[in-house]
Amino acid sequence: MDDFKRYSRQMLFSPIGEVGQKKFSQSRALIVGMGALGTAIANHLVRAGFGYIRIIDRDYVEKSNLQRQMLFDEEDVAAALPKTVAAKNKLTKMNSAVEIEAITADVNPSNITEFIASMDFVMDGTDNFSTRFLLNDACFKNKIPFVYGGAVSSRGMTALFVPDETPCLRCFIQGGEGTTGETCDTIGVISPIVDIIASYQVTEIMKYIAGDHEKLHRSLMTMDIWHNHSYAMKFASPKKDCPTCQTNEYPSLKTGVMHDITSLCGRETIQIQLESHFDLKEWADKLEKTTKVKETPFLLKAQLEEGERLVLFPDGRVLVQGTEDRGRAKALYARYIGM
């Protein structure tokens, strides 16, 4: 019980109590995305005492993140730290009893099964529907609760989807991998809506893990906190032809869905992955002959004379920053990395 002293006020809340707190401490969570939602979710879960948290993100900290991504600061920007590394540094200081596993990677059909293995639930901290549908399919195939969340502008949406108990994300949102939609990088976002949606996501999974299932919202909640709108679409029966929760096709898990070249919407960035590994030191030596190179333990930046920038990661990914033209990104990649 001494270990639980920090949670005393949480345990005084009768729906949680000592029993619920022990369940939290034994739970294993996966958070995909360490941006605005992901950092707020992680903050709540770590402070609440969830025992094991795996965090995954493919990006590094930039100054524009600081307005809404609560675990980062200017030192992280200066060091160009991967978001997972910077987040783990902060989270470990909050609660050393929680085990944090930080993975810098791009989640895709080839690795999602490995990432969700042994997890009790998955939290959506992503910013695109392609990845959300991937998480949705993987969770329903593996019978793992999926807590969806999205925030943009002053609007937000969230729902807890439980295999064999509720419909899935595809039953509500059509379009699958072809959905682009609006993002915080194209129309902006205010920080309060992020905090609110993340809080709803965490509250629902707390109810679920504590066993208070009668209090689950069982709806897709939407709100606009600037224009004072809110709506809850109550769960009905799943769509009869849903390829995820009814016909078990799981379209996002098919390897053909994965793309080697991905546009990061609104960021003038193209991600290219044609390799499985980069030796950063080796590439620093190669690129410094023709580019201005900045090397960190986690990534390598190369400023090109053409104006764009390459960012290389050890897992074989390259971000081509400064263009939204896939053809130009491929040309620059071929020129400096090779095809």
Side-chain angles (χ1 to χ4, degrees), residues 215-254:
K215 297 298 190 297
L216 292 172
H217 210 280
R218 299 190 183 279
S219 67
L220 178 66
M221 293 178 280
T222 68
M223 64 193 71
D224 186 324
I225 60 173
W226 195 271
H227 298 98
N228 305 312
H229 302 152
S230 63
Y231 180 72
M233 185 183 299
K234 288 295 183 182
F235 286 168
S237 298
K239 290 187 177 295
K240 293 181 180 180
D241 59 349
C242 176
T244 296
C245 63
Q246 296 303 300
T247 63
N248 302 329
E249 297 173 53
Y250 312 113
S252 289
L253 294 180
K254 297 176 181 178

Side-chain angles (χ1 to χ4, degrees), residues 113-134:
T113 300
E114 175 187 353
F115 287 150
I116 69 172
S118 76
M119 296 294 106
D120 294 312
F121 58 92
V122 174
M123 306 293 288
D124 174 16
T126 68
D127 61 1
N128 65 88
F129 275 99
S130 178
T131 307
R132 287 176 179 133
F133 278 93
L134 175 65

Side-chain angles (χ1 to χ4, degrees), residues 100-150:
I100 310 293
E101 181 185 8
I103 300 173
T104 301
D106 182 45
V107 176
N108 57 59
S110 69
N111 58 28
I112 183 59
T113 300
E114 175 187 353
F115 287 150
I116 69 172
S118 76
M119 296 294 106
D120 294 312
F121 58 92
V122 174
M123 306 293 288
D124 174 16
T126 68
D127 61 1
N128 65 88
F129 275 99
S130 178
T131 307
R132 287 176 179 133
F133 278 93
L134 175 65
L135 298 180
N136 179 72
D137 284 10
C139 285
F140 270 75
K141 183 176 182 179
N142 291 276
K143 309 298 183 184
I144 299 171
F146 171 50
V147 191
Y148 158 67

Side-chain angles (χ1 to χ4, degrees), residues 58 104-106 273 275-278 312-318:
R58 63 188 177 187
T104 301
D106 182 45
Q273 180 152 23
E275 304 290 337
S276 60
H277 173 74
F278 281 133
L312 282 68
F313 292 87
D315 64 0
R317 289 181 297 121
V318 176

Side-chain angles (χ1 to χ4, degrees), residues 271-289:
Q271 176 177 279
I272 300 177
Q273 180 152 23
L274 302 178
E275 304 290 337
S276 60
H277 173 74
F278 281 133
D279 182 319
L280 297 185
K281 179 60 178 175
E282 176 183 334
W283 276 99
D285 292 341
K286 291 180 180 179
L287 292 171
E288 68 181 2
K289 299 173 183 177

Side-chain angles (χ1 to χ4, degrees), residues 3 50 54 65 89 108 128 161-162 181 186 236 243 290 295 298:
D3 292 340
F50 282 76
R54 176 179 291 162
N65 300 150
N89 290 343
N108 57 59
N128 65 88
F161 298 112
V162 182
T186 57
T290 55
E295 184 182 3
F298 310 103

